[in-house]
Amino acid sequence: MPQTIGLNTRKPVEIGAPDLAAELAERFINVLAEKSWAERLDVLMELHDQLRDDIENFAMFCEVFPMFIGKLVEQLGGGVINSQEQAHVYANSAVAGHRQAAGDWFRANAA
């Protein structure tokens, strides 16, 4: 179900989940690129709560947020998980490979 929003426009537009996720990733990649994974996780937790408030349709939010995370991980270069914070970010991605890598990391690093 498309979400009515006004990203970069004067009038609200209908936008589907993949397009909204891509728009969000484009907006936030520069903010996150220079941060550590711990800082990225903090920012993404705040964004999660803000987007949950902004996207009125809960099903749409549940579709958009993991796509957004997946796109961010890909734009940040993916790579081997080296921290718990990075694993938490990957675990919230819509990309199965990211979630698998997070699960593998958590199993290998269980206390």
Side-chain angles (χ1 to χ4, degrees):
M1 168 182 283
Q3 173 74 26
T4 301
I5 58 169
L7 293 176
N8 295 328
T9 64
R10 291 179 185 240
K11 295 193 297 189
V13 296
E14 292 284 324
I15 187 169
D19 291 336
L20 180 54
E23 173 75 20
L24 290 167
E26 185 178 311
R27 282 182 175 216
F28 289 102
I29 189 63
N30 291 332
V31 172
L32 296 171
E34 300 302 319
K35 296 190 179 301
S36 69
W37 282 104
E39 293 168 323
R40 289 171 181 164
L41 180 60
D42 287 342
V43 170
L44 290 170
M45 288 171 42
E46 288 182 32
L47 281 171
H48 175 276
D49 294 343
Q50 183 62 53
L51 290 172
R52 178 63 193 100
D53 290 341
D54 291 346
I55 300 174
E56 295 175 6
N57 181 307
F58 184 67
M60 176 70 152
F61 167 77
C62 290
E63 190 175 354
V64 167
F65 194 75
M67 287 181 186
F68 165 54
I69 297 298
K71 290 183 180 305
L72 282 175
V73 168
E74 290 170 358
Q75 290 179 22
L76 290 167
V80 175
I81 297 175
N82 293 309
S83 70
Q84 181 176 359
E85 295 85 0
Q86 185 180 7
H88 278 291
V89 173
Y90 277 51
N92 285 282
S93 172
V95 178
H98 297 160
R99 294 190 314 274
Q100 180 66 48
D104 292 347
W105 190 92
F106 282 119
R107 280 187 291 283
N109 293 280

